[in-house]
Amino acid sequence: MKKEALVTYLRTKRVPLILCGILLIAGTLVLAFAWSAGLIGGRITTRTFLKDTPKTYPAGYRRAHGKGICFEGTFRASGEAVPYSIASVFAQQKVPVIGRFSLGSPDPYAPDNSTRTASMALMLTADDGEQWRMKLNNEPFFATRDAEGFLKQMEAYKPNPSTGSPDPARVTAFLKEYPEAKKYVKWDATAPWTRSFAGAQYNVINSFILIDKNGKKQAIRWSMRPHAAFTSWSVSQRKQASHDFLFEDLKKRIQKGPLYWDLVITLAEPGDAVNDPSQVWPESRRQIVAGTLEVSHVFDQADGGCRDVNFDPTRVPKGITLSDDPVLRARAGIYAHSHSDRVREIGYGKATDAVVKHQNDNPKNK
Amino acid sequence: MSGKKNRPSAPPTQFNITARILHWLMAAMILAMIFVGLGMMTSLTWRPWLLDLHVPLGIAILLLVIIRFINRLSFPVPKMPVSMSKFQSKAAGTLHWLFYGMMLALPLTGWAQLSAGGFPVKLFPGVNLSPILPQSPLLYALLHDAHRVMAWALFFMVVGHFSAALLHAWVYRDGIFSSITWGRKMTIRSEEPPASAAE
């Protein structure tokens, strides 16, 4: 009887201990889940980059580069990139392209003279079904070496509500932490603004890797080099420009005939900063013209077409892979959130302006 | 299967070997998938790599759950111990079928979501699966949300299922846990003399 009582006693002790152990295991799993989801720990996630998304614009617009226009075109490969990559877009005669020109401002109603940043986004679909998505800007390099730097830059240059301009102490602190950004600040202050989408060169900024048929790798960057001449404007010309000057100019040019850009690939050499988009490679690097983009038709982004496309630059075809450029990798998640947020707004019918075709009836667009 | 009908066989004390292997293999895969999915939606660095893992792993789970489902329907399974209440056995049984539903629905909504969003469903570089839905913002919205909500629900189902399993293994010791493992069979089934297991 005594022995049995002891066993019973141990049993009653054992059960709470086991329950604690099970709770500990379950709790650890739940904590790991919450941390991975970014709910606890306060780490920077790709969501952090969208926290400043303006709530003032109608639903359905892109979270960045909201004002844009869709285009259709054709990419004709020259064959020059074939020795470096097995991607079929480099060998195919004609590759259909859907794309978008956009303004750097997040505001979909921004006046065209409010930013120097013009962008081209593309999606090439080869006959074998492989897609090549890319996003290019007319800036020659990225301001910071990593994606966190971009957040800190935004934070540092946020206008102080009382003075209306950025706090100099915060800017200094940012430039101390990210000295490479000085190069960008200088470029931003001095380089001429483009006066036309047609004459701008668009640069991929991030680095990628080409893979040839033997598996050999070649680090690259590329640009879309315009056939049209670059044009700029004086500050007074720019200030007097109409609200939609750049987009009107683009439509007028396309009416006269297609616009062309050469896809110029720059081949890195050992020692070039492949993992740092703020560093420009030397001008002497070998360049090849992989083909020519013909932009033949533009249409309103509210009509669809390019509207629901995520121009995520990490979606590359077989024969191209990503480099270890941290900004490139961060873009994948940030673009994904931006895309799913706005497509869900469109899908659930919350979008108004972003999907309905408006014939100049929007007072803000006049 | 048909040959077995002749035998008035007692229900097995363990799930068959296929079920046990698939159970533990898929448990590891599903737990990994949930964390890969979370990482994809948060990581500044690993999203492209995790996405390349998420799609083929998801398709593998889809194929395995079909095999597992057929196996589940084709062979007898252990009975719940008599010590369990009717309600408990019913709830456990329902939960097991809900697991099958989730394991099937999550890969399908993932595949469908990529299709509706116009994304390639990349299994391996150069190998894409066909879309199973046309491109549509509404379908994308519904599937994207369904995929996320179900993934979260599945995670908490897994935690609950695992906690309950440990409870049976360490506290009740009623043979439920050992029915899916290779360990010592803990049959405290008083009404069943052990001799009947002899074949």
Side-chain angles (χ1 to χ4, degrees):
Chain A
M1 266 323 257
K2 262 196 175 171
K3 199 179 165 193
E4 229 161 70
L6 186 69
V7 169
T8 319
Y9 174 75
L10 280 178
R11 278 251 164 98
T12 52
K13 266 279 195 197
R14 201 176 61 97
V15 169
L17 275 174
I18 289 172
L19 288 180
C20 283
I22 293 174
L23 269 178
L24 198 69
I25 292 169
T28 308
L29 275 170
V30 171
L31 281 180
F33 181 91
W35 183 84
S36 302
L39 300 175
I40 54 166
R43 70 195 175 104
I44 295 177
T45 71
T46 44
R47 260 281 162 219
T48 317
F49 287 78
L50 286 115
K51 71 175 167 25
D52 288 336
T53 296
K55 309 273 186 289
T56 47
Y57 311 134
Y61 280 109
R62 278 172 207 261
R63 269 44 183 171
H65 295 244
K67 188 176 180 180
I69 191 164
C70 297
F71 69 77
E72 280 172 353
T74 309
F75 177 75
R76 291 185 180 83
S78 67
E80 271 188 54
V82 171
Y84 298 96
S85 171
I86 51 170
S88 50
V89 286
F90 292 132
Q92 200 175 310
Q93 295 268 313
K94 283 169 95 175
V95 181
V97 177
I98 181 124
R100 184 170 180 265
F101 289 105
S102 65
L103 219 53
S105 169
D107 180 357
Y109 308 122
D112 289 1
N113 57 3
S114 61
T115 172
R116 63 149 58 251
T117 305
S119 301
M120 175 193 269
L122 296 171
M123 183 169 83
L124 283 66
T125 308
D127 287 346
D128 60 5
E130 288 288 280
Q131 288 180 350
W132 188 9
R133 302 183 185 209
M134 56 178 103
K135 173 74 204 301
L136 310 105
N137 281 331
N138 64 339
E139 291 156 359
F141 47 83
F142 198 69
T144 57
R145 62 185 179 269
D146 57 25
E148 290 89 339
F150 177 78
L151 280 183
K152 287 181 179 160
Q153 185 188 14
M154 293 292 115
E155 218 40 55
Y157 282 90
K158 217 178 243 177
N160 185 325
S162 55
T163 62
S165 55
D167 181 352
R170 297 179 77 171
V171 171
T172 312
F174 163 71
L175 291 177
K176 204 176 167 201
E177 195 182 353
Y178 287 92
E180 71 271 23
K182 286 178 194 157
K183 191 157 47 82
Y184 182 86
V185 172
K186 192 179 162 207
W187 173 85
D188 186 36
T190 55
W193 290 37
T194 187
R195 195 183 176 170
S196 170
F197 279 115
Q201 173 171 315
Y202 302 97
N203 312 299
V204 75
I205 295 169
N206 301 116
S207 305
F208 292 77
I209 311 284
L210 293 184
I211 299 170
D212 76 4
K213 60 180 190 298
N214 301 318
K216 194 170 157 279
K217 293 177 175 179
Q218 168 67 54
I220 57 152
R221 285 175 185 165
W222 66 85
S223 298
M224 285 290 181
R225 194 169 59 197
H227 285 198
F230 176 79
T231 49
S232 187
W233 41 15
S234 66
V235 175
S236 62
Q237 278 177 321
R238 193 172 81 214
K239 292 219 164 120
Q240 286 160 20
S242 63
H243 190 274
D244 299 319
F245 182 89
L246 292 176
F247 288 95
E248 296 304 331
D249 167 76
L250 181 67
K251 285 180 200 160
K252 265 184 235 155
R253 286 179 189 243
I254 291 273
Q255 269 168 16
K256 284 185 203 149
L259 294 168
Y260 296 93
W261 280 264
D262 286 335
L263 172 56
V264 182
I265 295 180
T266 305
L267 308 176
E269 284 180 19
D272 287 347
V274 170
N275 61 356
D276 185 348
S278 70
Q279 300 304 315
V280 186
W281 296 345
E283 293 231 340
S284 57
R285 291 292 171 261
R286 202 176 150 215
Q287 294 189 321
I288 55 172
V289 177
T292 303
L293 170 71
E294 178 185 293
V295 175
S296 45
H297 173 57
V298 290
F299 54 99
D300 197 324
Q301 61 174 353
D303 291 346
C306 75
R307 186 193 64 206
D308 304 333
V309 177
N310 175 3
F311 292 104
D312 171 358
T314 65
R315 310 270 182 160
V316 288
K318 187 186 178 189
I320 305 176
T321 57
L322 310 181
S323 70
D324 53 358
D325 180 336
V327 175
L328 175 60
R329 284 146 176 265
R331 286 172 112 173
I334 300 165
Y335 280 49
H337 291 306
S338 166
H339 172 260
S340 70
D341 284 359
R342 79 165 187 277
V343 175
R344 277 159 66 234
E345 287 164 359
I346 293 169
Y348 290 139
K350 288 184 202 148
T352 51
D353 221 34
V355 291
V356 182
K357 187 166 182 165
H358 44 89
Q359 278 101 13
N360 281 342
D361 56 355
N362 189 326
K364 283 181 176 169
N365 269 358
K366 284 195 172 165
Chain B
M1 180 75 201
S2 58
K4 285 201 168 179
K5 272 182 183 158
N6 302 332
R7 263 185 270 156
S9 59
T13 54
Q14 285 192 310
F15 287 91
N16 71 10
I17 185 83
T18 316
R20 279 178 283 158
I21 290 173
L22 284 175
H23 173 271
W24 289 102
L25 177 68
M26 290 184 70
M29 287 169 89
I30 288 166
L31 207 56
M33 267 307 257
I34 290 170
F35 282 95
V36 166
L38 291 176
M40 265 167 53
M41 301 314 285
T42 54
S43 172
L44 257 54
T45 313
W46 298 110
R47 180 179 165 94
W49 186 79
L50 291 171
L51 186 62
D52 283 350
L53 194 65
H54 199 77
V55 176
L57 206 53
I59 296 298
I61 289 176
L62 180 62
L63 294 177
L64 289 178
V65 77
I66 293 169
I67 297 171
R68 190 168 168 189
F69 187 69
I70 294 169
N71 179 67
R72 174 70 176 77
L73 293 181
S74 307
F75 297 98
V77 294
K79 269 196 177 143
M80 296 284 178
V82 283
S83 54
M84 254 171 115
S85 74
K86 266 255 154 61
F87 170 76
Q88 258 184 311
S89 325
K90 234 212 152 118
T94 311
L95 203 67
H96 291 171
W97 289 114
L98 200 58
F99 266 111
Y100 276 100
M102 286 291 205
M103 289 187 286
L104 195 67
L106 270 155
L108 285 177
T109 51
W111 188 351
Q113 159 186 192
L114 286 175
S115 307
F119 293 104
V121 188
K122 189 169 105 183
L123 216 46
F124 305 106
V127 182
N128 298 318
L129 295 176
S130 312
I132 50 173
L133 280 179
Q135 209 173 331
S136 147
L138 175 61
L139 290 175
Y140 177 83
L142 291 169
L143 291 160
H144 184 83
D145 287 343
H147 193 73
R148 188 187 55 222
V149 168
M150 285 195 299
W152 282 52
L154 180 60
F155 174 77
F156 288 101
M157 280 167 66
V158 167
V159 173
H161 173 76
F162 189 51
S163 303
L166 291 180
L167 208 61
H168 282 281
W170 294 338
V171 180
Y172 298 134
R173 302 209 259 185
D174 51 8
I176 282 197
F177 190 75
S178 58
S179 68
I180 196 74
T181 61
W182 285 262
R184 200 159 50 90
K185 288 173 198 169
M186 292 210 232
T187 39
I188 315 178
R189 287 176 191 187
S190 45
E191 81 273 39
E192 200 96 351
S196 74
E199 285 260 59

